[in-house]
Amino acid sequence: MGTVRSSDGTTITYDKIGSGPPLILVDGALCYRASGPNGGLAAELADRFTVYTYDRRGRGESTDTAPFSREREIEDLAALIKEAGGSVHLYGISSGGALALEAVNAGLAVEKLALYEIPFVVDSSRAPIPADYESRMESLLAQDKRADTVKWFMRAGVGLPGFVVAMMRFMPAWSKLKGVAHTLPYDVAFVAPFEHGQPLPADRWTSSVPALVVCGGKSPAWMTAAMRQLAEVLPAATHRTLEGQTHIVKPAALAPVLAEFFGEGR
């Protein structure tokens, strides 16, 4: 375990395993080193890369500094990239992919970028987020209603059926989800502008960094449509579908695809 200090003084805690070119993995909503998919993915990639996983601010063993802004999370990544040698490959899953995308767009030293299923809503194949999505989330958190905040995110943001959300409170991980509920607005800040059922803007992301946009073959139509469209608007992107995979992608299925992409042309 190591730590780096971000520009605003926030301490970001990370793990590093493996050897080879540096690769940073970015978690999505409610995930961190001790609870999420990137630990298993790092283990699958450690034979070819020096893999960094980290706790985004406010989660796990990282600290936090108010007020939040999207720029602060990008600065956190910048500090970790510096620690990793100054230039890296970058992978982000779900809303962590949106953070990674914005970090590259901001000019961080990334050689190649891979993204898995950012939850943009770009057409009518699912309902857009409600108009009060963000304000209601902030209100629930202000009242310290963490369980209700997670439920609201799962229903209105993720689009899960009500009965599925109701059952989640009986899952062993429920207490961990509530523990990081206060960071949900951080993820929402990156994805909510593109969850209103409108096509992605053609000129929003201008970086020429080579990108790989991946989705699961068994994921819902709205998710796969968003990833196809994202690959079309990025200046230097290719699209890949992992047959048999969902949003909960298996590390063993994803790792070879990432290793092939990041291993080319280095």
Side-chain angles (χ1 to χ4, degrees):
M1 185 187 79
T3 62
V4 294
R5 187 66 60 88
S6 193
S7 296
D8 67 352
T10 300
T11 298
I12 302 299
T13 304
Y14 68 89
D15 286 329
K16 178 177 71 171
I17 63 170
S19 60
L23 166 60
I24 297 176
L25 311 182
V26 185
D27 274 314
L30 300 171
C31 295
Y32 49 103
R33 288 179 304 140
S35 180
N38 280 342
L41 182 59
E44 292 281 346
L45 292 165
D47 62 335
R48 297 189 59 175
F49 302 93
T50 301
V51 188
Y52 292 78
T53 55
Y54 73 106
D55 292 336
R56 289 171 56 185
R57 61 173 52 213
R59 315 179 192 195
E61 296 180 88
S62 291
T63 62
D64 205 353
T65 305
F68 171 79
S69 73
R70 300 196 324 167
E71 289 73 22
R72 300 294 83 78
E73 285 230 63
I74 294 172
E75 290 168 359
D76 298 345
L77 261 177
L80 191 55
I81 289 172
K82 181 179 180 181
E83 178 75 7
S87 180
V88 302
H89 294 316
L90 187 63
Y91 163 78
I93 184 171
S94 195
S95 52
L99 165 55
L101 184 60
E102 294 300 333
V104 169
N105 206 48
L108 269 60
V110 173
E111 297 190 19
K112 291 185 178 181
L113 169 68
L115 307 167
Y116 190 85
E117 293 199 352
I118 302 175
F120 295 153
V121 182
V122 301
D123 58 23
S124 60
S125 55
R126 67 151 274 186
I129 57 172
D132 66 342
Y133 178 55
E134 294 174 89
S135 62
R136 182 170 174 181
M137 181 176 287
E138 295 284 2
S139 176
L140 290 169
L141 285 172
Q143 301 172 68
D144 199 29
K145 294 182 177 180
R146 289 175 169 264
D148 288 340
T149 302
V150 176
K151 291 177 184 177
W152 175 242
F153 167 73
M154 293 295 180
R155 285 287 286 122
V158 179
L160 293 179
F163 76 92
V164 174
V165 176
M167 293 298 295
M168 290 185 69
R169 71 182 190 275
F170 300 109
M171 295 170 52
W174 182 245
S175 61
K176 291 183 178 180
L177 299 181
K178 291 192 297 181
V180 291
H182 62 284
T183 64
L184 281 171
Y186 302 2
D187 291 272
V188 169
F190 284 99
V191 298
F194 310 105
E195 292 185 305
H196 297 283
Q198 300 297 317
L200 296 174
D203 58 352
R204 175 64 180 80
W205 299 286
T206 58
S207 172
S208 60
V209 168
L212 176 67
V213 181
V214 188
C215 65
K218 296 178 70 174
S219 292
W222 67 270
M223 185 74 76
T224 58
M227 292 303 93
R228 284 194 299 269
Q229 193 175 121
L230 179 62
E232 291 172 359
V233 301
L234 293 182
T238 56
H239 180 268
R240 178 78 178 265
T241 298
L242 285 183
E243 296 301 333
Q245 296 302 304
T246 67
H247 195 61
I248 312 300
V249 61
K250 294 180 180 178
L254 179 60
V257 174
L258 296 183
E260 178 183 11
F261 172 68
F262 289 131
E264 294 175 348
R266 172 109 186 181

